[in-house]
Amino acid sequence: MFSHISGRMRIAATLLGTSLALAGPVSFAQAAPLDNEPLAARALSEARAAAPAASTAWAAGTRAYLVITTPGDTTAVRNAVAANGGSVFSSFDAIGVIVAHSTSASFASTMRGVPGVQKVGATRTSDVPADAYNPALPANPAQSAAPTTEPVRSDMTQIKADQAWAVNQGSATVTVGILDTGVDDQHQDLAPNFNAADSVSCAYGKPDTRVGAWRDVDKHGTHVAGTVAAAKNGKGAIGVAPGVKISSVRIAEPGSTLFFAENTICGLVWSGDHGFKVTNNSYYTDPWQFNCPNNLDQAAILEGVGRAQAYAESKGSLQVAAAGNANYDLANKTTDSSSPNDSTPVNRTITNDCLDIPAELPGVVTVAANGTSGTSKASFSNYGRDVIEVSAPGESVYSTVPGGKYSSLSGTSMASPHVAGVAALMASANPAYTPADIRAKLGEQATDLACPSDARCTGTTAKNSFFGEGRVDALKAVGDSTPPPPGKYFENLTDVAISDNTTVESAITVSGVTGNAPAALKVGVDIKHTYIGDLKVDLIAPDGSVYTLHNRSGGSADDILQTYTVDASSEVANGTWKLRVNDNARADTGKIDAWNLTF
């Protein structure tokens, strides 16, 4: 993600060898555009020209400000806003944040001198659109015919979501908030899991609960929503957690598709108040890619958004956020040349005190993007030692877009909802988990990824600047919190290289199991290989009987990450079982990464 939407740097369309926008669904073989590219191509002047005519309550030169005070009763400070040339647009008393509008150039400096006011800052370098005073409802697009197939995609097998679905697809009692450009709630893959009662628009910083106000003003939010929880219904795509609910909290403004601080604050407070167990935040808070505490305006933004995140977390909500798409080291910040993005960007010197928010706020899970191999950093992904928490697939991710359609996009925006989905599965399997519990378990259960031959990657295999604690694992998220009972679960984690035109084996010795193996013996297979159409994979019983699991199917697809069910009831359970892999061609190699047996 991150786009303008969560990374807002301008990356040329040629980066991934594709056009800026795609007219229809993208095949898995095609490179996908970065999620920000369709937006970066639009001039802000064009976006503003498309805005509705101003209502009588709006005046040219209206700017938005955060006025920060003590949480609780904000009456005195709200009165001071009105007395000093401003108006209160909205107020979040529980966190002591007031959103004020004013046409006075001295409003902020005047309010900073008011007793009880702690910080004041402009949230924009552009005028508040007239639409803020009479917002138009987003379009409700006509829906295309539903697809008749629902392939399991490589991003889902990378994180073992396909195996997790056999255990737990997620609980309908868990809701994930999609804080984004909106969601097409009529989409056939999203409608079964959509929670309209808790959906809202927070564009401009005030809750708009009208029916449909939550709908998408782009396609980004609908794409994110599908990755989290597209229904497992035989149509199009499957989300990481296809059994949970999703609510749309639109925080992007129409036309510009920017996410200003007051919008983010509104969205986070709404999420806490409406019991969202997880939220996905595939954006950064505009107009500053990095907010610096030595700037009075940005200090207020840091305080206001930080309070909103802490409030949501205190209500039981875990925030998951994209790290950004600038291929930037977040642990060694030096310059920012893309801000402010609502007027004219300037080059400025920054330090690590300047934060990309919400991704770098305390308590937020910061997500980097893996490449299609699953073990590399996506070329665009931001990184940073002790900044990145975990990683997830972010290249050419196929998901839902408005109008019942599907498309592939790339970005850390696409990686983040994979993690939000895994967090939702974990919350479903462990209802008592707090946000801190889920955040810790995401890292503990992640698959360790070693640094590639790249000097920018520092740290250990267990935790480094490219992948954090590793790639998230959906299967572990839904597993029992205690180790499998002795004599029931057996695993071999030793790598075995698979060379061209060779046959290799990996053995597991089973003991302590009475009688024969079950009629539903579970065989978990994790094979890394760049062309699985070359491979024949067999389970060999202790007496030498052969059970074929995979026989040269799958064509040019990468990797086998699957749990097979084998009727082994005629076999004595105890003894040495083997996984035999036969490579039948040249040019592609790999390894048995791990395999297991569950009796």
Side-chain angles (χ1 to χ4, degrees):
M1 149 215 124
F2 253 49
S3 73
H4 123 202
I5 282 176
S6 176
R8 298 220 198 20
M9 54 338 141
R10 292 168 175 76
I11 294 180
T14 55
L15 177 66
L16 295 179
T18 187
S19 61
L20 289 177
L22 300 169
V26 180
S27 71
F28 294 116
Q30 289 178 283
L34 279 170
D35 66 322
N36 61 296
E37 289 174 347
L39 305 178
R42 304 172 189 165
L44 283 173
S45 60
E46 294 175 348
R48 294 195 190 103
S55 69
T56 55
W58 178 86
T62 298
R63 295 293 174 92
Y65 300 86
L66 298 182
V67 181
I68 311 294
T69 186
T70 304
D73 185 358
T74 65
T75 303
V77 175
R78 284 188 278 116
N79 289 339
V81 167
N84 286 282
S87 60
V88 174
F89 186 74
S90 60
S91 184
F92 302 95
D93 292 358
I95 60 171
V97 176
I98 298 162
V99 179
H101 287 178
S102 180
T103 58
S104 170
S106 61
F107 176 77
S109 59
T110 300
M111 285 299 300
R112 288 176 187 132
V114 171
V117 172
Q118 298 169 358
K119 288 182 173 66
V120 180
T123 64
R124 309 164 184 247
T125 62
S126 58
D127 290 355
V128 175
D131 186 66
Y133 288 82
N134 186 25
L137 287 173
N140 185 9
Q143 301 293 312
S144 299
T148 57
T149 59
E150 189 181 51
V152 175
R153 310 183 309 276
S154 61
D155 57 316
M156 294 298 163
T157 59
Q158 267 191 42
I159 64 170
K160 301 181 184 177
D162 57 329
Q163 298 179 55
W165 300 329
V167 180
N168 188 338
Q169 295 181 17
S171 169
T173 64
V174 171
T175 299
V176 178
I178 310 298
L179 277 61
D180 215 291
T181 63
V183 174
D184 178 5
D185 55 300
Q186 304 298 305
H187 195 293
Q188 67 269 353
D189 246 339
L190 301 179
N193 291 334
F194 192 80
N195 173 14
D198 293 319
S199 293
V200 71
S201 170
C202 271
Y204 311 115
K206 178 188 294 185
D208 180 351
T209 58
R210 291 177 297 165
V211 173
W214 59 71
R215 291 195 176 119
D216 211 332
V217 294
D218 187 70
K219 64 180 178 182
H220 188 272
T222 300
H223 194 279
V224 164
T227 300
V228 174
K232 197 173 188 296
N233 56 4
K235 303 172 184 179
I238 313 171
V240 176
V244 305
K245 294 296 183 183
I246 49 174
S247 287
S248 173
V249 181
R250 178 166 69 86
I251 59 173
E253 297 181 6
S256 69
T257 53
L258 296 182
F259 302 72
F260 292 100
E262 59 267 38
N263 310 3
T264 303
I265 290 166
C266 172
L268 289 171
V269 171
W270 179 275
S271 299
D273 285 342
H274 288 78
F276 299 165
K277 194 69 175 179
V278 182
T279 72
N280 187 80
N281 301 266
S282 288
Y283 61 92
Y284 71 70
T285 302
D286 298 296
W288 306 99
Q289 183 169 11
F290 301 103
N291 285 273
C292 301
N294 61 354
N295 177 286
L296 292 176
D297 291 328
Q298 294 163 40
I301 292 172
L302 285 168
E303 182 69 22
V305 177
R307 287 189 185 186
Q309 138 56 19
Y311 177 82
E313 184 173 350
S314 75
K315 294 286 189 175
S317 178
L318 175 72
Q319 277 55 253
V320 178
N325 295 338
N327 192 25
Y328 193 96
D329 186 353
L330 296 174
N332 292 285
K333 302 185 183 87
T334 55
T335 59
D336 174 20
S337 59
S338 63
S339 306
N341 61 6
D342 66 333
S343 56
T344 303
V346 296
N347 291 318
R348 58 181 182 141
T349 299
I350 62 172
T351 69
N352 285 351
D353 290 335
C354 304
L355 301 182
D356 178 334
I357 60 174
E360 290 190 270
L361 290 173
V364 175
V365 178
T366 310
V367 182
N370 298 136
T372 53
S373 70
T375 57
S376 63
K377 181 183 85 69
S379 60
F380 49 79
S381 180
N382 286 354
Y383 57 99
R385 184 80 173 269
D386 298 324
V387 177
I388 302 302
E389 301 277 350
V390 289
S391 65
E395 281 189 346
S396 297
V397 174
Y398 186 81
S399 187
T400 50
V401 292
K405 299 176 183 178
Y406 300 83
S407 185
S408 289
L409 293 175
S410 293
T412 55
S413 277
M414 284 63 252
S416 182
H418 286 88
V419 178
V422 172
L425 288 177
M426 194 179 295
S428 299
N430 303 276
Y433 273 10
T434 66
D437 292 333
I438 298 173
R439 184 171 182 263
K441 287 293 185 182
L442 285 170
E444 291 172 16
Q445 296 177 351
T447 300
D448 291 342
L449 297 177
C451 280
S453 298
D454 189 324
R456 299 173 303 164
C457 188
T458 60
T460 66
T461 298
K463 186 176 183 180
N464 56 59
S465 59
F466 274 16
F467 311 113
E469 294 191 74
R471 187 182 64 240
V472 290
D473 189 315
L475 182 58
K476 288 181 179 177
V478 297
D480 192 278
S481 59
T482 58
K488 296 295 185 182
Y489 178 88
F490 302 87
E491 184 174 41
N492 188 333
L493 299 175
T494 303
D495 291 352
V496 179
I498 305 169
S499 302
D500 286 330
N501 292 303
T502 61
T503 298
V504 299
E505 293 181 340
S506 177
I508 289 176
T509 299
V510 174
S511 62
V513 180
T514 303
N516 284 6
L521 176 66
K522 301 297 183 184
V523 186
V525 176
D526 184 351
I527 294 174
K528 303 294 190 294
H529 197 279
T530 52
Y531 199 103
I532 64 173
D534 291 354
L535 302 181
K536 184 173 185 289
V537 182
D538 298 310
L539 175 68
I540 312 300
D543 68 355
S545 299
V546 177
Y547 297 85
T548 298
L549 307 177
H550 172 93
N551 193 4
R552 305 190 67 177
S553 60
S556 61
D558 292 344
D559 304 339
I560 300 174
L561 283 165
Q562 189 169 337
T563 299
Y564 299 90
T565 301
V566 173
D567 182 355
S569 56
S570 63
E571 307 291 342
V572 174
N574 292 333
T576 299
W577 296 75
K578 297 177 181 178
L579 189 74
R580 178 181 294 163
V581 181
N582 174 230
D583 184 292
N584 294 279
R586 295 185 301 167
D588 290 272
T589 60
K591 65 179 179 179
I592 301 174
D593 197 30
W595 73 289
N596 58 69
L597 295 169
T598 304
F599 288 83

